[in-house]
Amino acid sequence: MTSAPSVEPKFLPTRHNLGVVAVGFSGGQPKPGVDAAPMALIEAGLIQQLEEDLEFKVAFDGQVHSYSEILPTDDPPFRNMKRPKFVSAVTNEVSNQVYNYAKDGKLVLTLGGDHSIAIGTVAGTARAIRERLGKEIAVIWVDAHADINTPESSESGNIHGMPVSFLTGLATEEREDIFGWLKPHHQLSTKKLVYIGLRDIDKGEKKILKEHGIKAFSMHDIDRHGIGKVMDMALGWIGSDTPIHLSFDVDALDPMWAPSTGTPVRGGLTLREGDFIAECVAETGSLIALDLVEVNPSLDEHGASDTVRAGCSIVRCALGDTLL
């Protein structure tokens, strides 16, 4: 049995208010099924657990948004990006949904969907926190992949591999209907970005990470130092006076624990290491938003329930659940 979290939040008026956005979107990558994840997580009892066990007052419109009503009739590749207009329109909409919760001082949980949706979630929290507190946010990006390709450096053209480049301004586009809606108040400094769990990084991305001095803890660092030391270093880099947005791609976990995901890479985090990352962020009292993305129940159907369970566990830990 779990109990309500005891850590008082630093950047939220109260511990109890949670806004949930369910984003059933798969357009940032080619494999269908990731749009079914929010419903799978909700059917596994996630929202109920947050209300009953962790004592959150949950604001949720009860819908998994597919955004089919804003699907463009014509969406050709542009600058190597696949489905650019649809991903841009959806992330703009997600950004507004997240912003509306965050500006009212709610902690925001977004259930994805593929990782392209983080263009919207991070943009929404960055804007709200700037307006509400006059502060920059930090982002902890837990993922096997860096997702920092620019449209030009990407080999696949899939936008779920590009969100961080748009959020940090390393990639920009004037066209309003292709991410031109992203303004400085939506963006993030590369100095406030920390990666954990990287193990499958494109050549162009390695160059970007080095050139910009971005703080990244790969699986090599976790093997060398252990997850406890890595979390001390990651949170030390961010500092104690910065609101944190945790964006967690379930493929950061080893496929042994989370097989049902679009781009699994062996040699990843154990389930406990994933939970521990979330627990450490919860302990800071600095968490203002959480994304859980890339659960795809249609892939490796035998492992789907394990993957959904792993996702629920990470969310609970990040939102203050403890073992004792």
Side-chain angles (χ1 to χ4, degrees), residues 149-217:
N149 271 304
T150 61
E152 288 68 31
S153 74
S154 167
E155 287 169 27
S156 70
N158 296 325
I159 299 175
H160 76 157
M162 306 179 198
V164 185
S165 70
F166 279 102
L167 288 166
T168 53
L170 297 174
T172 54
E173 175 50 51
E174 305 258 298
R175 274 182 63 174
E176 194 69 20
D177 63 342
I178 302 183
F179 304 112
W181 61 267
L182 279 165
K183 304 296 183 235
H185 64 239
H186 291 120
Q187 289 177 321
L188 168 75
S189 159
T190 51
K191 297 283 171 271
K192 298 271 188 186
L193 169 66
V194 180
Y195 284 106
I196 301 172
L198 298 180
R199 58 189 182 278
D200 181 16
I201 307 169
D202 297 342
K203 199 170 158 189
E205 292 183 301
K206 281 188 184 175
K207 193 163 172 272
I208 291 169
L209 293 176
K210 284 200 179 83
E211 276 176 7
H212 294 275
I214 292 168
K215 199 46 128 180
F217 297 97

Side-chain angles (χ1 to χ4, degrees), residues 44-78:
L46 178 59
I47 289 178
Q48 195 180 351
Q49 291 162 20
L50 299 177
E51 288 177 325
E52 292 173 9
D53 299 344
L54 299 183
E55 297 175 10
F56 280 102
K57 291 188 195 115
V58 176
F60 173 47
D61 62 10
Q63 290 182 55
V64 176
H65 296 272
S66 69
Y67 307 97
S68 52
E69 69 286 357
I70 52 176
L71 177 65
T73 46
D74 183 38
D75 200 1
F78 177 75

